[in-house]
Amino acid sequence: MRAVSQQVSFVAVGVEVLHPVQAQETPLPRSTVRLLPFLLLQPSLSRPFPESKVFSVSGESAVIDVNGVGYEILSPLSTLAELQIKMGHETQVWVHTHVREDAMILFGFLSHQEKDFFLKLISVSGIGPKGALAILSASTPEQIALAIEQENEKLLTTLPGVGKKTARQMILDLKGKVTEFVPVVQTEEKELPKGRNTELEEALLALQALG
């Protein structure tokens, strides 16, 4: 298994290109993966990133229209809620390309900080990309990093898919490596929030209703 991460707004390396109206997560035969050329969307001289618009948003993914080409991305619920609000408008998405033998999957985030924290999470033994998305759907990088730095297993086990063993592994693997995400002003210990902010609550509920 190999993972590729890009540090620009929307770059896809060897990914399956889907027309927006036909976008779906379709596993690629191993031979197709080997033959896929590298695809790099170069920014124009007048714009720092390619023009990208939100085409559609479903229960766990969104399709981003990049100059007429649709890319399906899997994202945390908070990101999908914000993309739902931006439907039809320009946006910038930070993409991590996860490469497997049978598929290439894009994971998208609205900030490089959240994408970087996603990469930290999937570096932990026992946490895969889907599990990391579930964790980021339940809380923020700041709150999770604070719990890790405080070695607060109790709070970490409130996250989806995180038991005592995984919580201990998160602390073991990430303590001291996520200090950049810890809020400058540390408040009293409290339960990890389930939502990001009230502005996105309705969009989040709508996405959850879609499954």
Side-chain angles (χ1 to χ4, degrees):
M1 182 180 296
R2 181 170 59 88
V4 180
S5 180
Q6 301 301 327
Q7 293 291 335
V8 296
S9 171
F10 202 101
V11 170
V13 180
V15 302
E16 182 181 17
V17 180
L18 303 172
H19 190 278
V21 297
Q22 298 177 330
Q24 57 182 347
E25 185 181 355
T26 305
L28 298 177
R30 185 177 303 180
S31 58
T32 305
V33 173
R34 287 201 303 265
L35 295 174
L36 274 176
F38 281 86
L39 174 65
L40 176 62
L41 302 179
Q42 297 283 2
S44 66
L45 295 178
S46 59
R47 295 174 60 88
F49 301 111
E51 180 178 348
S52 306
K53 292 184 179 181
V54 183
F55 181 83
S56 67
V57 179
S58 63
E60 64 174 13
S61 65
V63 175
I64 306 298
D65 181 349
V66 184
N67 293 330
V69 179
Y71 295 86
E72 183 181 44
I73 60 172
L74 302 183
S75 301
L77 285 178
S78 57
T79 296
L80 294 175
E82 294 196 39
L83 292 175
Q84 180 80 43
I85 295 172
K86 296 180 179 181
M87 188 78 72
H89 298 284
E90 288 191 24
T91 190
Q92 292 178 357
V93 179
W94 294 79
V95 172
H96 167 72
T97 306
H98 192 75
V99 182
R100 302 190 322 216
E101 289 187 356
D102 60 344
M104 294 183 180
I105 305 172
L106 301 181
F107 294 89
F109 308 89
L110 292 181
S111 71
H112 68 85
Q113 291 89 351
E114 188 171 45
K115 190 207 72 174
D116 289 346
F117 196 78
F118 170 83
L119 296 179
K120 297 283 189 185
L121 288 176
I122 63 176
S123 72
V124 176
S125 176
I127 299 180
K130 294 290 185 71
L133 281 190
I135 290 172
L136 288 173
S137 292
S139 188
T140 65
E142 293 79 11
Q143 291 291 336
I144 301 168
L146 183 57
I148 290 171
E149 291 302 319
Q150 293 178 340
E151 299 188 22
N152 195 324
E153 291 184 21
K154 182 179 178 181
L155 288 183
L156 291 174
T157 54
T158 65
L159 297 168
V162 178
K164 290 184 178 181
K165 181 179 179 180
T166 302
R168 287 193 293 268
Q169 193 66 45
M170 291 172 70
I171 294 170
L172 179 64
D173 291 352
L174 298 181
K175 183 174 171 57
K177 299 179 182 179
V178 292
T179 53
E180 63 189 280
F181 300 97
V182 176
V184 176
V185 179
Q186 298 183 4
T187 58
E188 294 182 3
E189 180 180 309
K190 58 184 180 179
E191 184 179 349
L192 290 173
K194 294 182 180 179
R196 301 295 180 104
N197 56 61
T198 54
E199 181 182 338
L200 300 179
E201 284 184 357
E202 290 185 4
L204 282 169
L205 289 173
L207 288 169
Q208 289 171 342
L210 290 173

